Amino acid sequence: QVHLTESGGGSVHAGGSLALTCEVSADHDNMYCMGWSRQVPGQEREGVAAIDRRGAIRYADSVKGRFTISQDNTKKTLYLQMNSLKPEDTAKYYCATDLWGYEDCMESWDAFNHWGWGTQVTVSP
């Protein structure tokens, strides 16, 4: 089994920062890619950031220069440092991973196929 547990969400004013953490519990090292997605009620989930098994990193255009994805050496903890937050960043953020390897997460956000339960990020004007 693979379990993803997010933490670090909260409420901040525009321009503030939050750091999200994802703890990974897995019986098998079969995660081809890890990252973060977010979703606003009534909208589709969208990819935010990804890091593959080689360390390549991809960001959504909307967060480039503001968000930083990283992971520890064991790959059991994933981070998302979010700076200069904007109201449009308000969403529920989900830790995500690719367990199947059918897609390249550097090319398609659809590579993500497993998520945690999410953590809410709210950015007020």
Side-chain angles (χ1 to χ4, degrees):
Q1 293 186 2
V2 175
H3 296 285
L4 307 175
T5 304
E6 303 94 337
S7 62
S11 298
V12 297
H13 293 293
S17 298
L18 285 172
L20 306 184
T21 299
C22 173
E23 297 294 335
V24 181
S25 177
D27 297 331
H28 187 259
D29 184 17
N30 58 357
M31 293 172 286
Y32 291 85
C33 183
M34 296 191 68
W36 298 88
S37 298
R38 66 187 183 186
Q39 187 172 31
V40 177
Q43 300 182 15
E44 294 185 348
R45 184 168 5 212
E46 63 177 353
V48 174
I51 181 167
D52 71 13
R53 299 170 76 166
R54 298 181 183 274
I57 291 173
R58 177 194 182 197
Y59 296 101
D61 288 342
S62 59
V63 307
K64 286 181 180 177
R66 300 187 298 118
F67 290 11
T68 302
I69 188 172
S70 62
Q71 63 187 145
D72 67 9
N73 292 332
T74 69
K75 299 185 179 180
K76 296 301 183 181
T77 307
L78 184 73
Y79 306 95
L80 185 69
Q81 178 65 47
M82 305 185 294
N83 298 325
S84 302
L85 283 162
K86 305 174 181 179
E88 50 263 45
D89 294 318
T90 295
K92 194 166 188 179
Y93 284 69
Y94 299 87
C95 184
T97 190
D98 175 13
L99 301 177
W100 303 341
Y102 297 158
E103 303 272 358
D104 182 355
C105 68
M106 296 296 105
E107 300 292 335
S108 174
W109 299 113
D110 292 336
F112 292 143
N113 46 56
H114 187 80
W115 298 265
W117 288 104
T119 184
Q120 180 67 37
V121 170
T122 302
V123 185
S124 61

